[in-house]
Amino acid sequence: EPAGRRALTRLERMGLPLGPVVATPGGRAQFLVAPGAAAELHDLLYRMGWDDRTHLDLHGLGPGSHVTAPPSDRGGLGPARWLRPPSLDTATKPPAARLLLGTLAYVAHRSRA
């Protein structure tokens, strides 16, 4: 979550379109983006120069996965909360993952260093 907060701050300063962002009780930040990003994650990272994504703590959630939406309790582990709540603009048209991924990868990489 701390890396997600830093990435969110950078993305907002850059003026990029953002969708909702969830903070999980497990300490992760989940950026909600347009469908299909999970299947493209590896290729997108590779094309951006992140050829060894095993060192990045980025995971795509695709078909069969779920996100616990705030203000829900995640199976007794604690509450999920919004770092950036949904808005009318982003509810119908979430951003493409490729717009956010470079910054997310950079911040994730810097957080591991």
Side-chain angles (χ1 to χ4, degrees):
E1 180 186 337
R5 285 181 182 275
R6 285 192 297 280
L8 180 58
T9 300
R10 280 178 172 263
L11 292 164
E12 287 174 336
R13 285 182 185 156
M14 293 167 66
L16 290 173
L18 292 168
V21 182
V22 177
T24 71
R28 298 192 67 81
Q30 297 175 324
F31 288 74
L32 288 100
V33 296
E40 299 175 351
L41 184 61
H42 179 72
D43 289 338
L44 285 170
L45 287 169
Y46 183 79
R47 284 188 298 210
M48 291 179 181
W50 299 99
D51 55 345
D52 187 10
R53 71 180 189 120
T54 58
H55 289 91
L56 300 175
D57 192 16
L58 296 175
H59 306 279
L61 300 177
S65 300
H66 71 279
V67 172
T68 302
S72 302
D73 181 34
R74 193 171 191 178
L77 298 175
R81 60 193 190 290
W82 294 114
L83 293 180
R84 180 179 171 85
S87 68
L88 292 176
D89 297 337
T90 61
T92 58
K93 190 174 180 189
R98 64 179 174 71
L99 299 175
L100 314 179
L101 199 52
T103 300
L104 293 174
Y106 174 77
V107 172
H109 174 73
R110 296 278 300 166
S111 294
R112 290 189 49 93

